[in-house]
Amino acid sequence: MKTSNSEVSAQANARGARAKAARPAEANNVFTIDGREIPFEPGQTVMQAALTAGVFVPHLCYHPEFRPHGSCKLCTMKVNGRPTTSCTLPAAPGMEVENNTTEINDKRRLLIQMLLVEGNHFCPSCEKSGNCKLQALGYALGVMSPHFTLFYPVRPVDASHPEMLLDFNRCILCELCIRASAEVDKKNVFALSGRGLKKHLIVNAESGRLADTDFAPTDKAAEVCPVGVILRKRRGFAVPIGKRTYDLKPINEQADRFKPLTPLPKEEF
Amino acid sequence: MPESSLETVAVILGNHGNNGTRLMQILRETQEALGWLSPETITAIAKGVGWPRAKVEGTAGFYSFFHTRPMGRYRVLWSDNITDRMLGNLDLMQTMCQKLWLEPGRVSEDGLVSVDTTSCTGMCDQGPAVLVNYRAITRMTQERVARMAELIQKQVPVAGWPTEWFQVEDNIRRADILLNNTTKPGEALKAALAREGNQESAANARSWREGVNAATRGPSAVLEEIKKSNLRGRGGAGFTTGIKWEACRHAPGDERYVVCNADEGEPGTFKDRVLLTRQADLVFEGMTIAAYAIGARKGYLYLRGEYRYLLERLNEVLARRRDMNLLGTNILGHSGFDFDIEVHLGAGAYVCGEESALIESLEGKRGVPRNRPPYPVTVGFLGKPTVVNNVETLAAAALIAAKGGDWYRDIGTERSAGTKLLSVSGDVARPGIYEYPFGVTIAEVLADAGATDTQAVQISGPSGVCVADNEFGRSIAFEDIPTAGAFMVFDYSRDMFEVARNFAHFFAHESCGFCTPCRVGTTLLKNLMDKIGDGHGTQVEISEIFQVSHVLQMAAHCGLGHTAPHPLLDTLEKFRPAYERRLKYLNFRPAFDLDGALARARQMTGRDDLAAHLGSSE
Amino acid sequence: MTAPIRKLRVATTSLAGCFGCHMSFLDIDERILKLVELVEFDRSPITDIKQCGPCDLGLIEGGVCNAENVHVLREFRKQCKILVALGACAVNGGLPAQRNRLDLRDILEEVYVTEDGLARGSKIPNDPELPLLLDKVRPIHEVVRIDYFLPGCPPPADAIWKFLTDLIAGRTPVLGHGLLHYD
């Protein structure tokens, strides 16, 4: 069982007080996650500071090379008792943050389950299996079933491109490919259309086909998909089971992989 | 794509200076001219504004009133708020579909007409209402349905339909300072310009806009009056207007914007429609005063697409105000006071009522709420400091400028200054607009509106609160029940489950889809309500409603997701028997109709024997 | 003297599955000797018992694709105190559910009427002995209440072993890294 929150924060306060006495200037840029002290650089978000300190935070739409997005909500934490999206929240001194608690992980499990029923996620036949963040988070959070009634949406694949394949069945709408194509590749190959549950990924062509865009396998957008939507043709199942990214170690023991890069690209209007 | 269509698009693009941030208007005008937004049209527009094509398609695909496939020359949309339901809209729609030989949501085979539902069109006091080619028609009856079907079949242009159908009543039942306002256009503005603030005040020490007459102390004086008045936002959230204006005025940057939020999408609300009909000058004057106070040169009124019929009238008012030098350059001879207003039309997206989503939409993008902070007062329209205020707030601000903050503060209660417009609809003898000083009780409103045998009132729309009869002594005020204005009344003949179910459908339809919990969760709630409503619910579904609701409340990105569970949780708390009487089984029920799932196979094999059927339980 | 512990009675079946989960079950190898000290089998491909009697535990492999699957699943639910979805297909429909994007009419027509190599005059079989297909393949939790889920295609033998021994010992089964996987 987890330590009670009041106990944790009491310990944290005591440690915080000692740290302040010892190093008055720097100690100000510290907050706590589950009672553990996390130093931060001004301008860092709670999640960036946590990952830098080696504390894993579940996430799908976050990527160390991109500005925070705040849509998947897996990183939701409680900050001073209030639920908040930690990837977009600037860190502030003295925050008391709850991350790895039963209450929060229960909600995260339901978010994963929502994604599992929204799309068509059949891991046994997916090239990304073992390297998929959605799947890895399901393991880390102990998601045993989709829980809800499956939507089984009809989403045709786009196999028009000679080298790349788009399997929209697995899209979780994290917008990483959109951001990568716009900000890094400067191509704007991807965008969203529709609204609500009908929201979907589209490509930048009147025909609606990837082959009619200037997408290339060397694009940044070709490598950022956290699930199995954007795939290289004829390259599936290259790494044997047991050797894949999340076979080796659970995702929650790989916080270092997601450390933010600095500086991050600036916001554009 | 025909040459003539390309020319049409080129002209529209030209009128808007090929400016992508004007995309919403470009798309709407193009659709009005060409009927729909074909892939070729979208390509042409994207080329014209210099945006990636997919981005233009993304905007077109976001809004309910833009069509990327043909929807027929006549598009009939039935307002589907619970108040329209109570007035029998579904029967009328069914009759219409029968007469036109079509299914709801489908285009007729000859491409002539489509009939569908849409979210509340803001005509709850005179429903059932429809939009035909985005023009509002009120008080639908069987006779009107029959006549309308005839006109459509005879292909009579909508402009030639009976004018009385398009009559929208104001139904003002109780007027107070706002609706009784008789100040002349420009009067409040003159009073504001005449005001001089305390020279020592900190706010006054800063020049309100670089390069403008440094001796002008008026702006901070106006700000002082607004702060003194204790005016709070009328859109629901109740943020103190003076503080918002001051924050924007002090935000770094040399361009600022004033935006009037007339995206009145909350089901059951229609007071902004009446204010814009009766007191448009006062609203524009409030915007101009806000511009003066914060130092803005440009303002936008974001008008919901459902109120398309108001566009020409509002533009006439703006033209008149320009003629009177109440807008334009050196307003009323005040050197350096330049400001103009433009009406921006939305296209059917409730979420755009959220201020940052509204700004995105103003910029020509999908109406998705931004991450905050930063707030619009520092990073708003085009990244510049922006004040977004409700229609009613700005009208009140104009009155305050004219008559002073102390005068205003004395109206209402200690913590809720001024008056509030209520849009009263549902089971009342006199539906319409009621303006009260804050502090009025629910019981008083019900009595004035002629409500009898009242079971419940939904205050501030689906995102607000459902109040049962033991709470009718409570009052409309920020310290008790705050409201954006909706006041939907349900008598004891109404089924509160169906009320909540209608709202669950509304939120699922209007979720922008940005965040996981709202995108999927609102649909899960809708499905759970349908399962219960269809007689297949158990306590399992009820506990699922709570579980999904808690995820939405904890993790959703904006107010839409946070409040979407309210109508369900409120009715589960206060009208639980309405749910429980639908639970015919104690235990688990299948997620789908098992026998129905065999229908296709029965049809294919021609079988109808016992083994070709499944009971719904063992 | 403590009373001898009653052996748990276990039933297993495969609905719209490939028996891969059963094969994986058998991959517990010699541990099956230990298992039979603790459990006895009711209806199961291992025993060839056709009707399920009252059981402590039922393991269901495969999703629900036809009317017969529904009947079997309901029989298991009625007889088993604890019902477990075993493997990917039982959990989310799995491979068979990939037909869900197709219309059943198109599937049946292609398989029985229009495909190359069919005998002249072939038609969709309508023998009442044959169970009718559902329009979509569904996971079993959409048809009956399920107590535990054990994903995997198939779940590894070690996961099945861990799950069963946890359950028999009265612990809530927890799989952990390496044993919980969806593929």
Side-chain angles (χ1 to χ4, degrees):
Chain A
M1 273 308 289
K2 72 186 171 86
T3 327
S4 81
N5 295 336
S6 54
E7 225 172 284
V8 169
S9 53
Q11 288 166 5
N13 285 344
R15 272 199 303 274
R18 275 199 301 279
K20 261 177 207 159
R23 296 173 289 128
E26 300 155 48
N28 283 338
N29 286 337
V30 170
F31 64 95
T32 64
I33 292 185
D34 298 334
R36 180 180 154 187
E37 287 187 2
I38 309 289
F40 67 93
E41 304 285 329
Q44 268 190 325
T45 62
V46 168
M47 175 148 139
Q48 286 165 342
L51 290 168
T52 306
V55 173
F56 179 73
V57 182
H59 64 267
L60 288 166
C61 69
Y62 162 88
H63 186 288
E65 294 170 51
F66 293 91
R67 276 183 284 114
H69 193 245
S71 67
C72 75
K73 302 298 174 191
L74 261 301
C75 73
T76 300
M77 299 188 191
K78 270 191 165 178
V79 177
N80 299 331
R82 265 190 71 175
T84 315
T85 311
S86 70
C87 73
T88 53
L89 181 74
M95 281 176 165
E96 287 178 17
V97 181
E98 296 165 55
N99 171 35
N100 193 15
T101 69
T102 309
E103 184 199 3
I104 294 169
N105 286 337
D106 280 349
K107 300 289 183 292
R108 288 171 174 162
R109 210 170 285 123
L110 285 163
L111 288 172
I112 296 279
Q113 288 167 325
M114 286 180 180
L115 290 168
L116 290 178
V117 300
E118 183 192 17
N120 294 310
H121 297 280
F122 297 110
C123 299
S125 53
C126 179
E127 297 88 330
K128 201 63 177 277
S129 194
N131 302 309
C132 166
K133 272 195 186 168
L134 176 64
Q135 187 190 58
L137 285 176
Y139 300 165
L141 291 163
V143 175
M144 306 300 283
S145 79
H147 181 82
F148 302 109
T149 302
L150 280 88
F151 294 178
Y152 292 126
V154 175
R155 299 183 186 170
V157 301
D158 180 348
S160 62
H161 195 280
E163 290 166 272
M164 303 296 294
L165 174 78
L166 298 179
D167 189 339
F168 298 110
N169 287 291
R170 303 155 182 167
C171 184
I172 55 167
L173 304 160
C174 68
E175 302 185 36
L176 271 168
C177 58
I178 299 175
R179 292 180 271 160
S181 188
E183 293 168 23
V184 181
D185 306 328
K186 309 287 179 199
K187 287 183 177 179
N188 294 294
V189 169
F190 298 101
L192 291 173
S193 190
R195 185 176 80 201
L197 203 65
K198 292 180 184 159
K199 187 171 86 162
H200 60 279
L201 196 62
I202 56 169
V203 299
N204 194 30
E206 191 174 293
S207 65
R209 291 162 15 115
L210 188 65
D212 297 328
T213 69
D214 53 354
F215 189 58
T218 48
D219 284 358
K220 184 73 184 171
E223 59 176 70
V224 292
C225 183
V227 293
V229 179
I230 305 176
L231 300 165
R232 274 157 225 277
K233 286 185 173 176
R234 300 171 289 276
R235 285 272 297 278
F237 309 105
V239 180
I241 291 177
K243 297 272 167 66
R244 302 166 307 183
T245 311
Y246 303 115
D247 290 339
L248 303 171
K249 256 203 278 181
I251 191 169
N252 51 326
E253 290 173 22
Q254 302 194 41
D256 284 356
R257 292 169 54 85
F258 311 114
K259 269 188 191 170
L261 305 182
T262 44
L264 285 165
K266 283 220 162 56
E267 190 116 17
E268 282 170 37
F269 288 98
Chain B
M1 187 173 180
E3 200 64 32
S4 62
S5 300
L6 273 176
E7 272 169 34
T8 305
V9 174
V11 169
I12 292 168
L13 281 165
N15 291 343
H16 291 283
N18 288 55
N19 182 349
T21 66
R22 308 188 56 85
L23 184 61
M24 292 285 291
Q25 308 314 306
I26 294 168
L27 291 172
R28 176 180 54 81
E29 289 173 20
T30 306
Q31 182 171 281
E32 282 181 4
L34 303 180
W36 67 296
L37 301 165
S38 70
E40 298 82 9
T41 305
I42 290 190
T43 304
I45 291 174
K47 229 174 250 170
V49 299
W51 279 16
R53 190 194 178 283
K55 197 173 165 187
V56 174
E57 187 182 343
T59 297
F62 184 85
Y63 298 90
S64 295
F65 292 177
F66 291 148
H67 310 301
T68 50
R69 58 198 174 94
M71 293 309 295
R73 281 171 38 215
Y74 295 88
R75 173 108 174 112
V76 183
L77 292 172
W78 286 83
S79 176
D80 199 22
N81 187 25
I82 185 68
T83 53
D84 297 288
R85 290 256 173 133
M86 285 154 59
L87 294 166
N89 71 330
L90 290 187
D91 284 346
L92 293 170
M93 182 170 90
Q94 202 189 350
T95 309
M96 179 176 268
C97 287
Q98 280 164 358
K99 288 189 187 297
L100 294 168
W101 295 90
L102 47 77
E103 273 177 68
R106 293 271 178 87
V107 185
S108 61
E109 288 197 10
D110 54 2
L112 180 69
V113 55
S114 62
V115 176
D116 209 342
T117 57
T118 188
S119 299
C120 179
T121 61
M123 302 288 169
C124 320
D125 56 338
Q126 47 203 301
V130 293
L131 295 173
V132 180
N133 294 352
Y134 304 105
R135 300 292 165 145
I137 295 178
T138 60
R139 293 158 305 199
M140 288 299 290
T141 57
Q142 290 287 358
E143 292 73 42
R144 282 192 179 184
V145 165
R147 181 90 183 93
M148 197 179 281
E150 255 175 57
L151 291 170
I152 290 169
Q153 276 159 340
K154 288 183 185 154
Q155 306 195 22
V156 177
V158 176
W161 290 11
T163 48
E164 67 270 22
W165 290 6
F166 300 91
Q167 186 67 39
V168 177
E169 302 294 341
D170 294 335
N171 289 334
I172 295 173
R173 310 291 184 180
R174 189 184 193 283
D176 208 302
I177 53 168
L178 279 177
L179 295 172
N180 277 333
N181 164 56
T182 52
T183 58
K184 303 235 156 20
E187 215 175 302
L189 193 52
K190 278 175 199 150
L193 292 172
R195 236 174 250 286
E196 297 230 335
N198 174 6
Q199 245 169 318
E200 321 303 317
S201 101
N204 228 7
R206 299 177 64 128
S207 158
W208 66 284
R209 190 169 72 211
E210 291 71 13
V212 166
N213 185 1
T216 306
R217 294 188 300 273
S220 48
V222 170
L223 204 48
E224 288 304 314
E225 290 304 318
I226 299 290
K227 283 165 77 177
K228 217 189 283 176
S229 75
N230 201 20
L231 174 65
R232 293 172 66 176
R234 297 294 192 251
F239 196 81
T240 308
T241 307
I243 292 175
K244 193 186 255 189
W245 287 15
E246 190 169 50
C248 185
R249 172 180 157 84
H250 290 175
D254 53 1
E255 271 179 72
R256 298 173 193 336
Y257 293 93
V258 175
V259 175
C260 174
N261 184 347
D263 191 45
E264 186 176 45
E266 191 71 44
T269 317
F270 46 89
K271 48 107 186 161
D272 293 342
R273 157 170 67 74
V274 174
L275 268 179
L276 289 170
T277 308
R278 294 289 272 261
Q279 298 286 349
D281 267 299
L282 195 65
V283 176
F284 289 138
E285 197 129 331
M287 290 178 74
T288 313
I289 286 159
Y292 177 66
I294 66 166
R297 286 192 183 87
K298 185 80 204 247
Y300 292 92
L301 183 131
Y302 188 104
L303 182 69
R304 71 185 304 222
E306 287 80 351
Y307 296 166
R308 165 72 184 81
Y309 75 99
L310 286 174
L311 179 63
E312 284 80 12
R313 295 183 216 176
L314 291 172
N315 279 333
E316 281 164 24
V317 176
L318 288 173
R320 181 165 46 72
R321 292 182 70 84
R322 278 181 208 111
D323 289 345
M324 295 169 75
N325 194 215
L326 300 174
L327 290 172
T329 53
N330 301 327
I331 290 172
L332 293 175
H334 213 81
S335 168
F337 182 18
D338 307 340
F339 182 65
D340 211 331
I341 298 172
E342 202 179 305
V343 181
H344 173 113
L345 209 66
Y350 165 73
V351 69
C352 289
E354 195 281 338
E355 60 176 9
S356 66
L358 185 148
I359 289 170
E360 289 283 297
S361 183
L362 265 183
E363 293 177 358
K365 299 188 252 174
R366 298 163 55 79
V368 175
R370 293 176 175 172
N371 284 314
R372 288 158 303 159
Y375 292 91
V377 286
T378 51
V379 182
F381 182 59
L382 304 177
K384 309 292 184 189
T386 303
V387 153
V388 183
N389 279 140
N390 182 264
V391 174
E392 192 180 343
T393 314
L394 288 162
L399 280 188
I400 292 162
K403 304 191 178 181
D406 290 331
W407 165 78
Y408 193 80
R409 200 180 186 135
D410 282 345
I411 304 165
T413 72
E414 196 179 336
R415 287 167 64 192
S416 306
T419 61
K420 183 76 198 89
L421 265 61
L422 299 178
S423 315
V424 179
S425 64
D427 295 316
V428 295
R430 292 174 293 279
I433 298 294
Y434 292 72
E435 183 182 12
Y436 290 100
F438 272 111
V440 66
T441 64
I442 296 165
E444 287 172 74
V445 180
L446 289 171
D448 288 352
T452 50
D453 201 27
T454 305
Q455 175 179 205
V457 185
Q458 183 76 29
I459 297 177
S460 204
S463 72
V465 56
C466 183
V467 178
D469 62 3
N470 58 345
E471 301 170 275
F472 290 170
R474 295 179 66 184
S475 54
I476 301 293
F478 291 106
E479 62 271 26
D480 192 357
I481 303 182
T483 175
F487 194 99
M488 290 184 273
V489 180
F490 306 99
D491 70 19
Y492 273 98
S493 73
R494 305 297 176 184
D495 181 343
M496 294 311 292
F497 174 84
E498 286 301 339
V499 174
R501 185 187 193 178
N502 177 265
F503 295 157
H505 278 253
F506 167 76
F507 284 116
H509 180 69
E510 295 295 346
S511 169
C512 83
F514 174 74
C515 72
T516 310
C518 183
R519 185 178 68 243
V520 185
T522 51
T523 292
L524 290 173
L525 289 178
K526 178 187 87 163
N527 292 347
L528 287 163
M529 290 297 279
D530 283 346
K531 191 176 177 189
I532 296 171
D534 295 344
H536 300 291
T538 65
Q539 292 293 346
V540 176
E541 279 68 36
I542 297 211
S543 86
E544 288 283 291
I545 288 175
F546 284 113
Q547 205 171 16
V548 173
S549 294
H550 294 155
V551 179
L552 274 160
Q553 291 181 316
M554 182 168 183
H557 180 62
C558 77
L560 193 157
H562 293 144
T563 57
H566 284 184
L568 280 59
L569 297 178
D570 275 358
T571 46
L572 272 166
E573 185 194 332
K574 298 172 187 178
F575 302 98
R576 191 146 176 155
Y579 289 74
E580 283 168 344
R581 65 171 158 258
R582 288 185 155 76
L583 311 182
K584 299 200 183 94
Y585 304 86
L586 291 175
N587 272 315
F588 181 96
R589 299 283 295 160
F592 60 99
D593 171 11
L594 287 165
D595 194 53
L598 291 176
R600 193 56 142 181
R602 278 195 296 271
Q603 187 194 359
M604 296 303 294
T605 56
R607 281 178 53 188
D608 199 24
D609 54 284
L610 205 58
H613 287 275
L614 280 167
S616 57
S617 57
E618 48 269 57
Chain C
M1 283 272 297
T2 50
I5 300 167
R6 183 179 66 84
K7 279 189 178 183
L8 289 184
R9 204 158 169 84
V10 179
T12 75
T13 192
S14 178
L15 307 176
C18 68
F19 282 92
C21 297
H22 276 82
M23 297 307 289
S24 189
F25 189 4
L26 295 177
D27 279 344
I28 64 173
D29 296 334
E30 75 282 0
R31 286 174 288 188
I32 202 160
L33 297 175
K34 210 185 259 176
L35 187 67
V36 293
E37 288 173 15
L38 302 168
V39 308
E40 56 190 1
F41 284 93
D42 194 287
R43 173 175 172 166
S44 168
I46 300 167
T47 60
D48 214 23
I49 298 172
K50 302 295 186 202
Q51 294 296 322
C52 186
C55 285
D56 299 289
L57 181 63
L59 303 176
I60 308 283
E61 173 192 335
V64 181
C65 81
N66 63 28
E68 189 205 9
N69 293 159
V70 175
H71 293 305
V72 173
L73 184 55
R74 283 175 166 173
E75 178 193 328
F76 268 70
R77 179 66 275 180
K78 200 179 268 177
Q79 300 290 1
C80 302
K81 285 189 228 165
I82 295 166
L83 204 57
V84 182
L86 181 68
C89 302
V91 170
N92 75 352
L95 197 70
Q98 300 203 32
R99 78 152 153 98
N100 286 354
R101 66 184 185 82
L102 304 170
D103 191 310
L104 191 58
R105 169 189 294 271
D106 297 338
I107 297 171
L108 291 172
E109 277 183 348
E110 178 165 344
V111 171
Y112 291 108
V113 184
T114 61
E115 196 159 58
D116 287 344
L118 291 171
R120 197 182 298 266
S122 279
K123 58 187 178 81
I124 298 167
N126 59 359
D127 190 321
E129 288 286 299
L130 294 172
L132 287 185
L133 293 177
L134 299 172
D135 58 356
K136 281 185 166 56
V137 178
R138 304 284 190 147
I140 63 173
H141 75 268
E142 294 187 12
V143 178
V144 298
R145 185 175 53 78
I146 298 301
D147 301 294
Y148 293 96
F149 296 84
L150 183 50
C153 184
D158 288 347
I160 297 173
W161 176 252
K162 174 80 163 62
F163 178 85
L164 289 175
T165 49
D166 275 356
L167 212 59
I168 290 164
R171 290 187 297 268
T172 303
V174 177
L175 296 182
H177 180 68
L179 295 184
L180 169 58
H181 60 70
Y182 305 155
D183 58 0

